[in-house]
Amino acid sequence: MTPLPFVWPYALIFWAIFLWAFAPEYLIVKKAREGVTVAGSKDGGSLQMILIAMPIATLVAFPLAWVSALQFPAGMRIAVFVAGTAILIAGTLLRRHCFKQLGASFTGDVRARADQVVITSGAYAFLRHPSYAAGTLMNLGLGVALGSWMSALILAVISIAVYSYRMSVEERALVEAIGEPYREFMRTRRRMIPFVY
């Protein structure tokens, strides 16, 4: 069965949301690549891992969406499509909220300064890394909108894997630079899922 993102009029909705969600990510990556090349970068190869793993996962997820055995039940196609696009939109809105909360502290690569303020407002009142939670939601939503449980699973698992490495690198750099204020922040919040992880 043809995935709804390739069927009119669902295609128009899906691709408009896809571009709105992911186009700003390319600008972030462009700036981040410059930061990684700076001497003393704390990135630890995490940006490179994201830039390799996520496109591969996406390239695998799209063709898998055409495999009938890996699709959600046919009777749920429209509901699954709506749920997937809603998750993608929610993830995108959360990610942009995080950009706004962090302001100048938001970078696509890992950077930390001793005078950096630990942000504890907005989504950061509940999570240490809501931006990575948002990125995972965006990718999960993409897989669900494609109508394939396998595409959704692959995109979610790869997102969690690469972001987990990135969070470890970032937390190490922030503890080293900021010290106790960031340790306290870590003690009082989960990484990506409130009360769970």
Side-chain angles (χ1 to χ4, degrees), residues 6-54:
F6 300 94
V7 176
W8 183 263
Y10 305 100
L12 178 63
I13 297 164
F14 174 82
W15 291 105
I17 292 170
F18 180 89
L19 288 172
W20 167 76
F22 289 102
E25 300 294 322
Y26 294 106
L27 299 175
I28 292 165
V29 167
K30 184 178 177 186
K31 286 177 72 176
R33 282 185 171 160
E34 296 166 8
V36 170
T37 60
V38 172
S41 171
K42 303 284 187 186
D43 192 72
S46 64
L47 178 64
Q48 196 64 25
M49 180 183 284
I50 292 167
L51 293 180
I52 292 170
M54 288 317 308

Side-chain angles (χ1 to χ4, degrees), residues 137-186:
L137 280 175
M138 290 169 69
N139 289 311
L140 173 64
L142 173 60
V144 173
L146 287 170
S148 168
W149 59 266
M150 183 58 80
S151 297
L153 181 64
I154 288 170
L155 286 165
V157 167
I158 297 299
S159 293
I160 291 168
V162 298
Y163 288 140
S164 290
Y165 175 68
R166 177 61 170 260
M167 288 183 288
S168 295
V169 169
E170 193 170 291
E171 288 173 354
R172 196 164 40 247
L174 289 164
V175 165
E176 184 182 309
I178 301 171
E180 188 53 36
Y182 196 75
R183 282 191 195 92
E184 178 61 21
F185 180 77
M186 290 174 64

Side-chain angles (χ1 to χ4, degrees), residues 22-170:
F22 289 102
E25 300 294 322
Y26 294 106
L27 299 175
I28 292 165
V29 167
K30 184 178 177 186
K31 286 177 72 176
R33 282 185 171 160
E34 296 166 8
V36 170
T37 60
V38 172
S41 171
K42 303 284 187 186
D43 192 72
S46 64
L47 178 64
Q48 196 64 25
M49 180 183 284
I50 292 167
L51 293 180
I52 292 170
M54 288 317 308
I56 290 172
T58 303
L59 287 173
V60 169
F62 270 83
L64 285 179
W66 294 81
V67 179
S68 296
L70 303 177
Q71 293 175 344
F72 289 103
M76 297 174 59
R77 287 183 77 199
I78 294 173
V80 166
F81 176 80
V82 169
T85 53
I87 294 167
L88 176 54
I89 290 168
T92 304
L93 291 174
L94 176 58
R95 191 141 160 89
R96 292 185 186 168
H97 163 77
C98 293
F99 299 164
K100 185 176 179 182
Q101 289 296 307
L102 290 177
S105 293
F106 180 83
T107 59
D109 60 311
V110 176
R111 297 181 200 176
R113 303 180 325 270
D115 64 344
Q116 188 170 326
V117 175
V118 179
I119 304 298
T120 59
S121 59
Y124 291 89
F126 306 100
L127 295 172
R128 296 195 315 250
H129 301 283
S131 179
Y132 300 138
T136 301
L137 280 175
M138 290 169 69
N139 289 311
L140 173 64
L142 173 60
V144 173
L146 287 170
S148 168
W149 59 266
M150 183 58 80
S151 297
L153 181 64
I154 288 170
L155 286 165
V157 167
I158 297 299
S159 293
I160 291 168
V162 298
Y163 288 140
S164 290
Y165 175 68
R166 177 61 170 260
M167 288 183 288
S168 295
V169 169
E170 193 170 291

